[in-house]
Amino acid sequence: MYDPAKPALSGMNLDEITAFVKGLGLPAFRARQIHSWIYSKYASSFAEMTDLSREVRELLEEKASVALLELAHLEVSRDGTRKYLFRLPDGQMVESVLMSFSDRSTLSACLSSQVGCAVGCTFCATGYLGFKRNLSSQEIIDQLMCIQRESGQRVSNIVYMGQGEPLLNTEEVIKSIYTLMNSVGIGQRHITVSTSGIIPGIERLAEEQLQVTLALSLHAPDKQSRDEIVPINKKFPIPHLIGSLHQYYNATGRRITIEYVMLAGITDRLEQAEELAELVRTLHCNINLIPYNPTSTADGVVVYERPSREVQERFKRIAERSGKTVTIRLERGTDINAACGQLHNKHEAAKQ
Ligand code: SF4
């Protein structure tokens, strides 16, 4: 159980660790040592920090802790995907996922940015939870550090695609991106922020001029379908949204990723593939088609069906008329509820 009287240092950036150790009357170089133990050697206790004197280690053990989050549950998929449920200091839960790929050396972590989500996409288990609160930058980063400590593996890529809408928690997400770059050592080009289409957040992220990939969860090219499945569309309509993506590209030079979940009979119609191709024709982007996984529904989430392979391929061929690279994304961890919100929902149900 997290003790609020003993602040956690994992997830803090170097300035924050420096301020903390100075508060204990220790010199600044101690902060650099602790920072290195946490971010380079994945230390989980002060006892491991052997280049600190015994007195300093004892002082830190008395006044601080290393990890902020506590692992509440872990599931490992047949394909190697690891799904974590973490307990936050206030007892709330968030999920993170670690994905490896047999054809690549990359190891990707999918991080949550909020507890629950206010956007309410109708196919999403997290939307069903409703919004609870934003995560701090430290809570975002410590998900990654807990994953690295638990798995003993170094993560190469980060996607902000777990629970929550990152661009409704933009300042903490931006702060966490800088900690990823400066403390964890993950390059900007290996970081993806995924949004349901929050225009002020896209504009704010563009201002930073980072080399971070922006992924838009478009999911439907027409107003009627998108209003229905991604309700935030009523506030930030598609033409304005596409305008903000052009703006992001102009500010960063980074190609946008368009995410498109294929729901049978809802978003997989061939005229929608044509509309999608037309919509993104002038945008610098790639398109990821994500066939919906019907086994992933949780209690209370509207049930959709996955389109047939034939429909998926036909949709892809039409979408390719945009001149963009179009891929059908491989599902990960389908045997362990790896879509966001599912593990949390299952855990809640088990408690009842
Ligand atoms: S898909 Fe993302 S934005 Fe939509 S409800 Fe789920 S977590 Fe929120």
Side-chain angles (χ1 to χ4, degrees):
M1 183 65 82
Y2 182 73
D3 178 357
K6 294 170 72 170
L9 304 188
S10 178
M12 285 187 180
N13 60 32
L14 183 57
D15 288 347
E16 290 167 325
I17 297 176
T18 304
F20 181 78
V21 303
K22 280 188 173 170
L24 296 181
L26 298 172
F29 76 90
R30 292 295 185 204
R32 289 194 294 279
Q33 288 175 304
I34 295 166
H35 184 270
S36 165
W37 276 104
I38 289 173
Y39 291 109
S40 303
K41 299 170 194 146
Y42 311 150
S44 54
S45 71
F46 295 116
E48 293 166 53
M49 303 183 184
T50 48
D51 56 357
L52 304 179
S53 68
R54 191 158 57 82
E55 292 73 34
V56 170
R57 277 183 271 148
E58 282 172 1
L59 178 65
L60 288 168
E61 260 156 38
E62 188 193 327
K63 301 284 186 191
S65 55
V66 175
L68 180 69
L69 308 189
E70 189 188 323
L71 181 60
H73 190 77
L74 168 64
E75 288 190 12
V76 182
S77 162
R78 283 190 294 274
D79 65 18
T81 302
R82 299 171 87 78
K83 175 119 184 184
Y84 300 82
L85 185 66
F86 291 117
R87 187 174 292 105
L88 298 162
D90 63 357
Q92 301 274 11
M93 301 280 193
V94 282
E95 300 173 8
S96 321
V97 181
L98 177 65
M99 295 164 285
S100 53
F101 304 88
S102 54
D103 57 336
R104 285 175 260 164
S105 59
T106 53
L107 201 54
S108 296
C110 176
L111 305 181
S112 291
S113 54
Q114 297 181 314
V115 183
C117 183
V119 175
C121 303
T122 53
F123 52 86
C124 169
T126 299
Y128 171 63
L129 293 174
F131 174 72
K132 303 269 173 55
R133 71 169 174 87
N134 285 330
L135 297 187
S136 66
S137 163
Q138 187 181 10
E139 289 170 327
I140 295 170
I141 296 297
D142 201 36
Q143 293 170 57
L144 171 64
M145 298 317 295
C146 286
I147 289 173
Q148 296 193 134
R149 288 192 288 264
E150 186 282 325
S151 67
Q153 293 178 285
R154 186 169 197 87
V155 169
S156 55
N157 292 55
I158 299 296
V159 287
Y160 288 81
M161 220 178 257
Q163 281 179 274
E165 164 51 66
L167 297 186
L168 287 177
N169 185 19
T170 315
E171 296 310 320
E172 290 301 306
V173 164
I174 289 173
K175 182 177 173 189
S176 71
I177 291 171
Y178 282 105
T179 308
L180 287 176
M181 289 157 47
N182 302 329
S183 293
V184 185
I186 292 182
Q188 302 178 44
R189 289 168 177 263
H190 297 276
I191 299 171
T192 298
V193 174
S194 173
T195 180
S196 58
I198 310 296
I199 293 176
I202 294 170
E203 291 171 348
R204 174 68 190 90
L205 190 60
E207 269 173 33
E208 293 295 312
Q209 300 192 336
L210 292 166
Q211 290 295 293
V212 166
T213 300
L214 180 66
L216 172 72
S217 298
L218 181 66
H219 302 329
D222 58 290
K223 177 173 166 33
Q224 193 182 350
S225 311
R226 196 163 196 269
D227 276 356
E228 189 185 320
I229 61 172
V230 186
I232 200 83
N233 192 60
K234 292 176 194 138
K235 189 163 181 192
F236 302 114
I238 294 170
H240 296 168
L241 191 50
I242 298 296
S244 72
L245 299 182
H246 281 287
Q247 197 182 325
Y248 187 84
Y249 177 81
N250 292 339
T252 64
R254 295 292 288 165
R255 197 177 289 275
I256 310 293
T257 299
I258 300 291
E259 306 277 3
Y260 192 103
V261 68
M262 302 180 79
L263 307 171
I266 311 283
T267 62
D268 68 343
R269 297 195 299 272
L270 302 184
E271 67 269 22
Q272 288 173 310
E274 285 166 14
E275 258 181 278
L276 172 63
E278 193 51 42
L279 188 66
V280 301
R281 197 177 298 281
T282 60
L283 187 67
H284 294 269
C285 69
N286 299 319
I287 302 172
N288 266 339
L289 300 176
I290 310 156
Y292 183 69
N293 173 21
T295 61
S296 70
T297 53
D299 283 356
V301 179
V302 180
V303 177
Y304 294 106
E305 295 294 329
R306 181 193 193 102
S308 67
R309 190 74 202 172
E310 192 191 349
V311 170
Q312 293 172 28
E313 290 296 342
R314 212 179 318 144
F315 192 100
K316 177 175 182 274
R317 282 196 297 278
I318 295 172
E320 279 169 342
R321 291 180 196 160
S322 60
K324 312 301 172 191
T325 302
V326 183
T327 47
I328 298 177
R329 193 203 281 168
L330 187 70
E331 285 282 343
R332 309 287 307 169
T334 51
D335 55 324
I336 57 159
N337 306 288
C340 68
Q342 291 174 343
L343 190 60
H344 186 293
N345 282 358
K346 203 170 111 179
H347 196 81
E348 288 296 305
K351 284 197 306 195
Q352 286 159 11

